[in-house]
Amino acid sequence: WTGGMISVLFRPAGRPASDTVALAIDATRPVRESTAAIAAALGIAPDKLGEISMVLEGSLLVLSEPFPGTLQEGAVVFVVLESQPPTWKSPAGSAQSGSDSGPKMDSTIDAPTGGGSLAEEDENAVAGLIREMENAVAHLKRSNEELKAAGPDPDFDVAIAENLTAIKTKEASIKELRELDAQARGHKRGPEDDPASAQGVPVTGDMGVFL
């Protein structure tokens, strides 16, 4: 397309293909500006707007950017809610996408069992949770590569869309956990623990996150 209005098909993940709706959108505008109209057409509640992710041809759309220039008339865009559990199932009946893929998560932090302080136990639990979530993301990405190689298939496209949304959510959680972990370590460590700071020498540069 060269700009302006274009008719696109929006298919809600987890619902029958018959629920797909065709909408005319201004593809030159940020995707986010079309979200409310898309949600209304699909019967998605207004309070769920912040959970919407959209996938086109196996790639997440960036809501703050316009639709890609490769968008074709009649293209199918999958609409996925981030809180939505995986819906696509293999012929064997096991869920293949979303939060059920990869290692099981336990976001709770158990009390220490001895041999370390509560702070150390918490740090170890957070680091372990980050590793588990990173493994889950790697698993989902590998699954998507396998689904793409096995396609094209409409059902596989649903699974890929759900996986991409799960990856986006997990990566956001990983980032937040890393930031919280870095803050906790920074608070625990006083100026007296840093020779440079203790001598009045400014510390510059990105020290990174140590897990």
Side-chain angles (χ1 to χ4, degrees), residues 110-174:
D110 296 329
T113 55
S117 67
L118 177 60
E120 289 171 344
E121 292 284 343
D122 286 355
E123 288 177 4
N124 291 336
V126 170
L129 182 59
I130 290 173
R131 285 194 297 271
E132 287 189 13
M133 296 186 78
E134 288 175 335
N135 287 338
V137 168
H139 176 85
L140 289 167
K141 289 181 176 180
R142 183 172 63 251
S143 294
N144 271 3
E145 291 303 317
E146 293 171 353
L147 288 166
K148 289 177 182 179
D153 182 286
D155 288 335
F156 290 177
D157 290 341
V158 173
I160 290 170
E162 292 182 342
N163 280 352
L164 286 171
T165 301
I167 289 169
K168 171 185 169 184
T169 302
K170 291 181 189 301
E171 288 183 335
S173 296
I174 291 170

Side-chain angles (χ1 to χ4, degrees), residues 54-123:
M54 287 187 253
V55 178
L56 172 66
E57 297 179 347
S59 297
L60 275 170
L61 296 179
V62 180
L63 299 184
S64 60
E65 298 179 0
F67 286 86
T70 55
L71 184 68
Q72 299 289 322
E73 186 88 14
V76 177
V77 174
F78 287 92
V79 180
V80 189
L81 293 178
E82 293 176 1
S83 61
Q84 175 180 310
T87 58
W88 182 80
K89 295 182 181 296
S90 71
S94 60
Q96 297 295 310
S97 63
S99 58
D100 284 348
S101 296
K104 297 296 183 182
M105 302 300 163
D106 182 0
S107 59
T108 60
I109 298 179
D110 296 329
T113 55
S117 67
L118 177 60
E120 289 171 344
E121 292 284 343
D122 286 355
E123 288 177 4

